[in-house]
Amino acid sequence: MSNTSSFIPEIHLEPLVDDPGFILLSDLGFEPTAYSPIAASKPFPLFTPEAVRRIRAEIVDHETLANHMFSDDNNPCVVRGHCPDKARFTYDAWTHESVKERVDQMAGIPITIVYDYEIGHTNIQLGPRGWAGLKAEPDMPSAEGNLAVDAEIEPTVYKVPNWHKDSYPFVCILMLSETSTFKGGNTFIRKADGTNLVCPLPPIGHAMILQGGLLDHAVSPTSASQERLSMVTSYRPSDPLQTDSCRLNTVRTVSEVPVLHKQWLDYRLKLLAERATKFAQTSDSQHLVEEMDRFIREQSNFLQESMKQMTDPVERVSTDTRGHFKNWLDAQAPTVVA
């Protein structure tokens, strides 16, 4: 695959004409956090059909699927860690200043992508044509073509709502499938009283922001005859002095762990350096000893937590959807007759 890009806002960024509205934490019965009073945005336009086609083309590339597909008992089929090497356009899109401005607006505060590994995490549920239906153009239930057997589709389907909190404070969820015929597939958010808020399904090319590290949420089961591709990019507050609540418990079983750990450590040390610079710039000479003592203790805890996230056991168990894909891919190869 060619990694030539470029993301051009005039072509690839869908205009934002109307304010999409927001769901506030207070609407869910929660107190506002230090991050933002916004629990979630309502769906807003983000990428044009041409941008969606190019993003999908990078995801469904067979080499990308064979090397960057992961699964566990909570994530039936995800593609991640492919940006920027295998998905230059996707990377350029999410990191473009115009997209950052749109995301910041919807989050209510400036937020920053955590690191490259969390750009373009894509959840895949196969449609009626199975792996063969994964193309740049969305696979529709009514489309013509050979239908896949249930055994091919089932490993990619959410069987029950997968309630969880994300590893990162904010996520931007982009819909890459046509949702007009969806049955299920909505995001649910658990409210303070234990009831659930059902979020509207974003149309294709639309996105929503969620404080996913704070709020229990899930994706409702969908019909096994529907393709559903949704892309998630994860964020933290841009302000280095904000409490950092990032963790790794939901992503280690669906990652190349050495690559994830290296990017995790780089980001944590960069954040520590930014905090040290801020401290040097703002510390009070009259109370320097007390302030330095507090700073050392806080950052020591931060570094210890950084290590724990890389070493503590996780409850999730890896599965082998990638193996199902590779078996299907091998079966597509033409038979060579001796």
Side-chain angles (χ1 to χ4, degrees):
M1 169 184 293
S2 170
N3 282 336
T4 59
S5 194
S6 286
F7 180 83
I8 303 170
E10 293 77 14
I11 298 174
H12 301 123
L13 182 67
E14 192 71 46
L16 180 64
V17 178
D18 300 315
D19 183 348
F22 301 93
I23 301 165
L24 301 179
L25 287 168
S26 57
D27 297 333
L28 304 176
F30 296 107
E31 294 294 324
T33 68
Y35 292 152
S36 171
I38 296 172
S41 72
K42 294 182 179 178
F44 61 90
L46 187 57
F47 294 129
T48 64
E50 169 61 13
V52 169
R53 186 195 66 78
R54 292 189 63 177
I55 290 170
R56 285 181 58 107
E58 291 181 333
I59 296 165
V60 303
D61 177 77
H62 285 176
E63 183 180 351
T64 299
L65 293 172
N67 290 284
H68 295 279
M69 183 189 298
F70 301 91
S71 57
D72 65 17
D73 51 357
N74 205 61
N75 297 279
C77 183
V78 302
V79 173
R80 49 189 272 111
H82 58 304
C83 293
D85 291 349
K86 300 297 182 183
R88 189 74 224 185
F89 180 83
T90 301
Y91 179 85
D92 288 351
W94 283 107
T95 57
H96 197 278
E97 187 60 32
S98 63
V99 174
K100 175 175 170 47
E101 290 174 0
R102 180 76 56 85
V103 169
D104 285 353
Q105 180 183 352
M106 295 299 104
I109 61 166
I111 56 178
T112 298
I113 293 172
V114 183
Y115 33 73
D116 289 355
Y117 211 91
E118 299 304 339
I119 296 175
H121 166 123
T122 303
N123 301 296
I124 295 177
Q125 175 178 307
L126 296 179
R129 269 145 295 280
W131 298 114
L134 280 182
K135 299 182 182 300
E137 298 297 330
D139 192 31
M140 300 293 291
S142 59
E144 296 182 0
N146 294 328
L147 298 182
V149 297
D150 289 345
E152 182 179 322
I153 298 174
E154 280 301 306
T156 72
V157 179
Y158 286 113
K159 305 297 192 306
V160 295
N162 56 332
W163 288 101
H164 66 285
K165 293 179 181 177
D166 294 324
S167 284
Y168 308 101
F170 292 88
V171 291
C172 183
I173 307 165
L174 168 69
M175 183 54 66
L176 294 172
S177 291
E178 175 56 57
T179 61
S180 60
T181 62
F182 265 27
K183 298 174 183 176
N186 297 77
T187 296
F188 285 24
I189 303 175
R190 183 152 288 158
K191 300 165 69 173
D193 64 5
T195 61
N196 301 325
L197 173 75
V198 182
C199 298
L201 270 170
I204 190 168
H206 285 55
M208 62 178 287
I209 298 290
L210 176 68
Q211 277 209 57
L214 172 70
L215 299 167
D216 278 309
H217 58 284
V219 176
S220 64
T222 60
S223 166
S225 65
Q226 293 173 290
E227 176 206 80
R228 187 185 191 278
L229 270 66
S230 61
M231 178 171 279
V232 180
T233 294
S234 298
Y235 295 80
R236 62 177 176 85
S238 298
D239 182 357
L241 299 184
Q242 285 272 20
T243 300
D244 189 280
S245 60
C246 296
R247 52 192 185 270
L248 296 178
N249 61 307
T250 68
V251 296
R252 275 170 45 196
T253 50
V254 288
S255 301
E256 290 290 347
V257 172
V259 179
L260 176 70
H261 280 180
K262 180 62 167 67
Q263 292 192 19
W264 164 263
L265 187 58
D266 287 349
Y267 128 70
R268 300 289 274 194
L269 293 177
K270 178 183 176 182
L271 185 56
L272 178 61
E274 292 175 355
R275 289 176 172 177
T277 299
K278 288 276 189 181
F279 176 80
Q281 293 171 343
T282 60
S283 56
D284 180 359
S285 60
Q286 298 300 314
H287 302 91
L288 186 58
V289 173
E290 296 91 336
E291 290 182 1
M292 186 64 180
D293 179 67
R294 182 173 66 252
F295 179 80
I296 290 172
R297 284 186 282 106
E298 290 174 349
Q299 304 319 311
S300 177
N301 291 337
F302 173 77
L303 289 174
Q304 290 174 8
E305 181 61 26
S306 301
M307 188 64 183
K308 281 172 58 66
Q309 289 299 323
M310 294 191 291
T311 57
D312 278 2
V314 294
E315 295 180 358
R316 297 184 179 185
V317 179
S318 295
T319 56
D320 192 29
T321 303
R322 188 191 297 192
H324 289 281
F325 170 72
K326 286 186 173 182
N327 290 339
W328 172 84
L329 193 61
D330 288 343
Q332 310 313 302
T335 301
V336 177
V337 179

